[in-house]
Amino acid sequence: MDIMLADVNEKLARGQAMDLADAAWPSSHRVRYADIQEAGQADLIIITAGARQKPGETRDDLLDRNHAILQSILDGLKPINPKAVLLMISNPVDVLTAIAQHITELPKCQVFGSGTLLDSGRLRNYLSKLINVRQTSIHCHMLGEHGDGQFVGWSSARIGGVKLDQFPEMEMVDKQQIEREIARTAYSIIEAKGATYYGVGVCGAILATSVLQNSHDIQCVSCYSEKWGGYVSTPAVLCSNGIDRVLELDLDEEETAKMENAVARIKDQTRRFIQ
Amino acid sequence: MAPTVPTQRVSVIGGGGNVGAAVAYALITKGVAAEVLIVDVVDKAALGQALDISDAAFLMPGVCRKGSFQEAGQSDVIIVTAGARQQPGEPRSNLIDRNYKIIKSIMDSLQPIKPTAKILMVSNPVDVLTHIAQKTSGLPCNQVIGSGTFLDSGRLRNALSEITGVAPSSVHAYMLGEHGDNQFTGWSSARIGGRPLLEHPKMQGADLDGINEKITRKAYDIIEAKGSTYFGIGICGATLAQALLNNTSQVFPITHYVEKYGCYMSWPAAIGSAGVEQSFDIHIDAAEAKKLDVAVSATREVCAKYE
């Protein structure tokens, strides 16, 4: 595999590429610096560039700063490989994914974002400890708009085919408290070490693997939903073209209202930047 | 429900820092151990790194969490990345004195150490500190190794790969001696496809001293560009831990006690769950023997203070 690193800070990108090349040689992968034009020709383009979330700063505060950065990046990538899959990771991810699709005019299936993948993972990590079952066997998703507008799809949650609420360990559980704790995880990590990157790094790598290997596995990502009429985080099947199909969960009344709110919020924020 | 005890535990002492966290991250993403413990005197840093790395637990096998020194002492592999950083103008002997105190303090805190544990020293100066770790831990020599010139050998292979067009893992060449300014390339023993490297058409007229210097400078170049190095050493630490845990008997150029020269130095060795299984007395020519002499003398002189 050939991995290219592009960044407005060329010196830093070259330094990272050198360090990563030192890590890549045992598995015969190649890592190098590339300018943004060349990056636009890749099969998969991952965007992590953006202003860093400051301790205490909400994701929405980032939007103005990150939109300007995104516009500049997308201009630099031109002419973008028409077959490229674009994976957005920068925050606020759902909005930036929608904006990126609009600006590049790539097919909607080819543009998706990491969305609530990590949050879904945190939820599954939590439930895994509670019920003592491996995360991969817990089917429970964080949905909506990654950030303060995300919510758990409790009504569709299952473990080994059994509804989550039927497990005795769930009797004493305060679901709202779980949601609050998971939402705070990023802030806790930033407070302790200054930034979060290892967790989201693995997420990016896993999504990249799904695309490059055409794996058709299901992950919760920010994708274009026909049902909701916009980009939002919901489970989807991943393939070499990006999104193969979006799964529309059976949501109860409360969750449906939350989903409608999330989609509306994303559209509102996107509207500010799309004429 | 009673907690289950994992069968493969690796601890990273100094896991709160960039290098330690990179090693732990590599261990998790490579699926090396059932449990990775992050241990550090700075509690908040250890917690932060453990939280960040374990965030991806739902996608990776293995568990990563903050651990205590006592728990670390019960690991199968103990990786040490903690150490003092050289202050501007500080004499090397002073730096090593400070590191001796740190390593001794770490080994005391780990006691009692699991008798089958292997210690992998990563902190610099790695060859001297591996010696100190063995002396202060009480573990047998073959169970205490250092990352030595493994990373440098990888950098060498990357450089030779670019010149010859052959994958780095197929270029059999080692950086040897004492990790640092005294390290040297084993040109006479280097091979590609069974043929001497120096006979390869693309190596004709190559500036061998220039290549050697470039490799030795690599760390400085990376530090100058991005502030520190950690991804490369992270994968190296994880690869060595994997060989120790899975008893692979792979051969790596690492710091270990070489009987012939009476000291810890970077030399090829086969490693597995017993630690060092075999040491290989690699062929060196007259020029390389001179450089080895410099490296060995330097290491022995310093280690003599810490018997």
Side-chain angles (χ1 to χ4, degrees), chain A residues 9 11-30 117-122 124-125 131-132 134-136 169 185-186 188-189 191-193 195-203 205-206 219, chain B residues 1-2 4 18 21-23 25 28-29 44-45 47-49 51-62 150-151 153-155 157-158 161 167-169 218 221-222 224-233 235-236 239:
Chain A
N9 184 337
K11 181 167 151 181
L12 183 58
R14 286 190 185 277
Q16 299 285 20
M18 281 194 275
D19 198 6
L20 286 165
D22 281 351
W25 70 270
S27 42
S28 293
H29 292 308
R30 281 180 275 249
L117 176 58
L118 185 50
D119 310 281
S120 300
R122 287 168 179 158
R124 287 151 76 192
N125 286 342
I131 298 177
N132 202 20
R134 187 97 183 90
Q135 289 89 329
T136 41
E169 294 92 336
T185 308
S188 304
I189 298 173
E191 216 259 319
K193 69 174 260 191
T196 84
Y197 39 84
Y198 284 137
V200 65
V202 173
C203 286
I206 290 293
Q219 302 290 358
Chain B
M1 216 168 291
T4 45
N18 281 336
V23 171
Y25 185 53
I28 288 292
T29 54
K44 186 164 150 176
L47 180 64
Q49 301 288 16
L51 284 177
D52 197 11
I53 294 170
S54 63
D55 236 3
F58 71 107
L59 292 168
M60 297 278 110
F150 181 37
L151 176 55
S153 300
R155 289 170 175 156
R157 291 178 183 213
N158 268 341
S161 170
S169 54
K218 203 54 182 295
D221 290 341
I222 298 175
E224 214 256 319
K226 66 172 262 190
S228 56
T229 88
Y230 39 84
F231 289 132
I233 187 65
I235 284 285
C236 281
T239 303

Side-chain angles (χ1 to χ4, degrees), chain A residues 51-119:
Chain A
R52 217 188 260 186
Q53 191 170 358
K54 300 192 184 102
E57 185 184 31
T58 67
R59 291 182 181 97
D60 288 347
D61 292 345
L62 287 174
L63 180 53
D64 281 331
R65 295 198 280 154
N66 279 330
H67 169 259
I69 292 170
L70 179 58
Q71 180 74 63
S72 156
I73 290 169
L74 296 177
D75 286 341
L77 290 170
K78 284 187 193 151
I80 200 168
N81 170 11
K83 292 268 194 250
V85 172
L86 193 59
L87 167 57
M88 180 64 62
I89 293 184
S90 321
N91 274 320
V93 65
D94 305 275
V95 177
L96 292 182
T97 306
I99 293 172
Q101 189 280 318
H102 181 87
I103 292 175
T104 58
E105 295 181 326
L106 285 170
K108 291 188 171 77
C109 67
Q110 281 172 232
V111 182
F112 72 100
S114 50
T116 53
L117 176 58
L118 185 50
D119 310 281

